[in-house]
Amino acid sequence: MHGRISTGTSRSGGARLNTVIAIGIPALLAAAGVLALVFWMKARPNVGAIESRQPQAEATPGAEAVNAGAPTAAQGSAPSQPTPGAGAGQSVPTVAGSWPGFRGARRDNISTDSPPLARSWGPQGPPRLWSVQLGEGYAAPAIVNGRVYLLDYDQASRADRLRCWALATGQELWSQAYANDVKRNHGMSRTVPATDGKVVVTLGPKCHVMCCDAESGQVRWEHDLVSEFGATVPEWYAGQCPLIDNGRAILAPGGSALMVAVDLGSGNVVWQTPNPNGWRMTHSSILPISFAGKRQYVYCASGGVVGVNASDGSILWQTPDWTVSTANVPTPVDVGDGRLFLCGGYNAGSML
């Protein structure tokens, strides 16, 4: 869908953002829109180039894609300079509340910020403070320190584009992009960035990982999960949202490494989890939990569920008893007392 990103008033506990269906542009703005488009075409934003990597065979509907050959060595990319937005150089107003990644700070969908959530709105709904046009897809934002981050797909430039806005004003501060030719496949964008307020980590539809400075948008490091680890891009593109935990980016590429931890500062891989069963990447995201004094990362891979030791990447436990044959999407839910709730679509059912 083509969408807009919108905010409500602070009554809802810092602004809540939603993608909504784009509304018609008033006729009085049509001429201005045409002029703006012409100007934009003459001043295309910077796009970095991702180096070539091992090709993949086209996947058939309802099945996982298969790598065409062995993974290539990591080549890195040639990142561009951030493209400044209309709000570049301006101070960013402070706004209470944050949502630093998929499912919030603890990946439990619970906000503990002090402003209370509104229980009802008037007949007109919450006033819209600002909105911007987005590319086609399902990406959602992360919010920290009064900034909004979203990995959009720029169809004109054929690029994944990380965009940053001021939450209070809606002015775009910067964007950072890399070339990525994506075909329409039930939308294009997919995932939620992760941020600790210092850096922002994204995972694109074809498994490109990018880490940018949260204030400037400058690229810190990049990884290509296909060329480095032999990851298989899932059917309908990657839907895994990256996790930031203990100064590391935690990712589940599948392929030669079931899971990896990347140091946020250097971009170096700290540890890799072996993958003896050849489990592949799914659309599910990693859930961090603590149990029996151990920090671990739980992941629903293509062939089952695994618990990985957060300190060294070793496998603590794994089970093939839970799989979803088509579109393994939902992330596990920690319901306490050492219990995990698993569910899936396409008549997969659920498991505790």
Side-chain angles (χ1 to χ4, degrees), residues 57-75:
E58 292 293 329
T60 56
E64 298 283 353
V66 178
N67 283 329
T72 58
Q75 298 296 323

Side-chain angles (χ1 to χ4, degrees), residues 73-85:
Q75 298 296 323
S77 66
S80 65
Q81 293 298 313
T83 300

Side-chain angles (χ1 to χ4, degrees), residues 82-100:
T83 300
Q90 300 181 16
S91 61
V92 178
T94 301
V95 177
S98 66
W99 197 257

Side-chain angles (χ1 to χ4, degrees), residues 300-340:
C300 292
S302 65
V305 187
V306 63
V308 172
N309 193 325
S311 62
D312 60 10
S314 60
I315 295 177
L316 297 174
W317 58 268
Q318 58 184 331
T319 173
D321 292 338
W322 174 257
T323 59
V324 180
S325 59
T326 301
N328 192 342
V329 178
T331 298
V333 176
D334 182 7
V335 296
D337 297 327
R339 298 174 299 167
L340 295 169

Side-chain angles (χ1 to χ4, degrees), residues 49 140 169 200 324 343:
T169 64
V200 184
V324 180
C343 67

